[in-house]
Amino acid sequence: MIVLGNQLALQFAIGDQTDFISIECFRYMRIAENAGGLRPIINLTFTVKSEAILPFLNSGNLITIMYGIKEPTSDVIQFEIMGDDKTKNYRVGSTVSLLGALYNRGFTSQKKSFCYEKKKSFEALKMLVENDGLKFVTNTNIKTNDLQNWYQSGITDWRMSSYIADRAYLDNSTFFVYGFDNRNYYFLDLKEHLKSGVKWYFTVNDTSSNENSPIVNIATYKCDDANAGVNAQLAGQNITDVGYNIDTGELLKPQYQLKTFTTMGTNNININSTGCVDYQYHITTNDEHSFAIEAKNQNFRNNVLFSSYTCHVPVTGQYRDFRLFDVVQLIPSDSDRDAEGIYFITGIAKEYKDMQYTTLLTLNRESANGIKGDLEDGV
């Protein structure tokens, strides 16, 4: 067992070898979770102390990690080793660096064929992820407008869940996001989720912070809006998206625009005011709901715009139960008020090194300006 920072306890197992990484042999671990349906990834570095584990250090084998406060009893997570093993020549005393992806046999690895007949997207998603042992975390008032037959043809539930979520539709102002970790599958309307209020307050050098408080003390942060202009143009143009229904022969040309929400803007972002952009043709059938084309492109454009403004925040030595899409208020130093305001957590990377741990958080919103004070009525 390894205890980091006098708080977090870790224990590792592989094959029939339990507790195979001692405190002396542990070097580094990073577990990264990201929004958008990406599989959580692990980077693990340690020194081999026994020949008994060598046969298991191959791609496809599973690493089990047990962890908790003081004792490794509160949670278990499994990762599948990825990569090419042909050039590896491990032996006792070797330093091993492994790359792995989250493993849930039913969700990430087992290919299936199935039809979720006459289901709305949130109903199909709930059925799918709960069958694989994940908790379905969603807004209680989501009732999507996308009834159809959802066909899964020889792909994993992980891939199918992204297919469904990308085509979820309520109306032309809804902002759906999704992601998963080892316990939960998140499917949220961000605008509704914002109403749940701020969960974490990030403050610079605040000594009142403690592990039971929503106030999180941070020493530094870095914000970046380098992609804002391009993303706003991609997401803000009038869009004409062309589809052709092969069952009816109907040509579909829906048009729509996008509205911001964390900046509470009153106007659409519309860089190209002279006309519309035609995308490639999409082939659709009567089995798809009538808003399938709008849904896919609206969800894509929402997420492009939402990645415009990013803050990277390291939280060192504080074990907090951060989750994807938690609502965060950043309270920066007096000299940097541009970064102040509301964000969502879209990335969580937990790093363990030199017997300490740091959580590297990625925060996102769609704009750098107009945040301060705009959301007081909404949170």
Side-chain angles (χ1 to χ4, degrees), residues 260-272:
T260 61
F261 70 99
T262 57
T263 54
M264 304 298 286
T266 57
N267 298 314
N268 292 340
I269 296 177
N270 186 8
I271 303 300
N272 180 7

Side-chain angles (χ1 to χ4, degrees), residues 68-87:
I69 301 298
K70 303 295 184 181
E71 294 290 335
T73 56
S74 63
D75 210 349
V76 176
I77 185 170
Q78 282 191 315
F79 288 91
E80 180 180 8
I81 298 175
M82 315 294 285
D84 184 4
D85 307 300
K86 294 180 180 179
T87 61

Side-chain angles (χ1 to χ4, degrees), residues 192-309:
E192 289 298 315
H193 185 51
L194 188 62
K195 297 176 183 178
S196 65
V198 175
K199 185 174 180 180
W200 306 104
Y201 296 87
F202 290 178
T203 61
V204 176
N205 298 323
D206 188 335
T207 57
S208 67
S209 174
N210 63 75
E211 62 184 28
N212 298 315
S213 168
I215 299 174
V216 180
N217 180 37
I218 60 174
T220 186
Y221 59 90
K222 181 180 180 181
C223 295
D224 182 11
D225 62 351
N227 297 324
V230 173
N231 288 357
Q233 184 167 3
L234 284 172
Q237 296 179 91
N238 293 321
I239 296 295
T240 298
D241 202 2
V242 182
Y244 180 77
N245 189 313
I246 61 176
D247 289 332
T248 65
E250 182 182 5
L251 189 65
L252 310 170
K253 298 187 72 174
Q255 296 184 17
Y256 50 90
Q257 289 183 319
L258 180 70
K259 291 185 178 180
T260 61
F261 70 99
T262 57
T263 54
M264 304 298 286
T266 57
N267 298 314
N268 292 340
I269 296 177
N270 186 8
I271 303 300
N272 180 7
S273 59
T274 60
C276 298
V277 175
D278 282 343
Y279 279 359
Q280 64 182 10
Y281 277 86
H282 295 267
I283 302 299
T284 184
T285 72
N286 283 342
D287 283 321
E288 291 189 305
H289 66 84
S290 56
F291 300 103
I293 298 173
E294 293 98 320
K296 183 178 179 181
N297 288 287
Q298 176 176 291
N299 291 333
F300 168 75
R301 295 170 69 218
N302 283 347
N303 283 282
V304 167
L305 183 61
F306 189 53
S307 63
S308 296
Y309 195 75

Side-chain angles (χ1 to χ4, degrees), residues 156-197:
T156 63
D157 284 353
W158 166 43
R159 297 293 188 189
M160 185 63 187
S161 67
S162 295
Y163 177 87
I164 296 172
D166 283 340
R167 289 158 178 79
Y169 186 83
L170 178 59
D171 55 44
N172 62 9
S173 65
T174 308
F175 197 123
F176 287 123
V177 292
Y178 62 95
F180 68 97
D181 54 33
N182 63 311
R183 290 177 286 183
N184 303 305
Y185 189 96
Y186 304 93
F187 176 63
L188 300 167
D189 177 352
L190 271 192
K191 285 199 274 190
E192 289 298 315
H193 185 51
L194 188 62
K195 297 176 183 178
S196 65

Side-chain angles (χ1 to χ4, degrees), residues 51-199:
E51 291 183 353
I53 71 166
L54 296 179
F56 302 108
L57 301 181
N58 299 307
S59 60
N61 283 323
L62 302 181
I63 299 173
T64 301
I65 305 172
M66 295 149 282
Y67 61 93
I69 301 298
K70 303 295 184 181
E71 294 290 335
T73 56
S74 63
D75 210 349
V76 176
I77 185 170
Q78 282 191 315
F79 288 91
E80 180 180 8
I81 298 175
M82 315 294 285
D84 184 4
D85 307 300
K86 294 180 180 179
T87 61
K88 295 179 180 177
N89 187 24
Y90 297 139
R91 58 187 181 276
V92 174
S94 295
T95 297
V96 175
S97 294
L98 298 178
L99 172 67
L102 181 71
Y103 178 81
N104 174 320
R105 184 176 185 275
F107 187 67
T108 62
S109 301
Q110 188 176 16
K111 295 182 179 181
K112 305 173 185 176
S113 294
F114 190 74
C115 175
Y116 297 90
E117 188 174 359
K118 295 182 179 179
K119 301 287 186 187
K120 295 185 177 183
S121 60
F122 79 96
E123 296 172 324
L125 279 172
K126 184 175 188 297
M127 180 177 174
L128 182 153
V129 302
E130 289 183 348
N131 283 343
D132 294 325
L134 295 173
K135 181 180 178 182
F136 186 58
V137 179
T138 188
N139 305 82
T140 56
N141 59 342
I142 286 181
K143 301 295 181 184
T144 52
N145 186 22
D146 49 19
L147 183 70
Q148 71 167 66
N149 294 330
W150 301 91
Y151 292 102
Q152 181 174 354
S153 302
I155 59 175
T156 63
D157 284 353
W158 166 43
R159 297 293 188 189
M160 185 63 187
S161 67
S162 295
Y163 177 87
I164 296 172
D166 283 340
R167 289 158 178 79
Y169 186 83
L170 178 59
D171 55 44
N172 62 9
S173 65
T174 308
F175 197 123
F176 287 123
V177 292
Y178 62 95
F180 68 97
D181 54 33
N182 63 311
R183 290 177 286 183
N184 303 305
Y185 189 96
Y186 304 93
F187 176 63
L188 300 167
D189 177 352
L190 271 192
K191 285 199 274 190
E192 289 298 315
H193 185 51
L194 188 62
K195 297 176 183 178
S196 65
V198 175
K199 185 174 180 180

Side-chain angles (χ1 to χ4, degrees), residues 1-11 23 68-72 355-357:
M1 182 177 74
I2 301 168
V3 179
L4 303 176
N6 296 319
Q7 280 189 309
L8 184 64
L10 299 168
Q11 191 170 17
I23 192 169
I69 301 298
K70 303 295 184 181
E71 294 290 335
M355 307 318 299
Q356 296 293 327
Y357 56 87

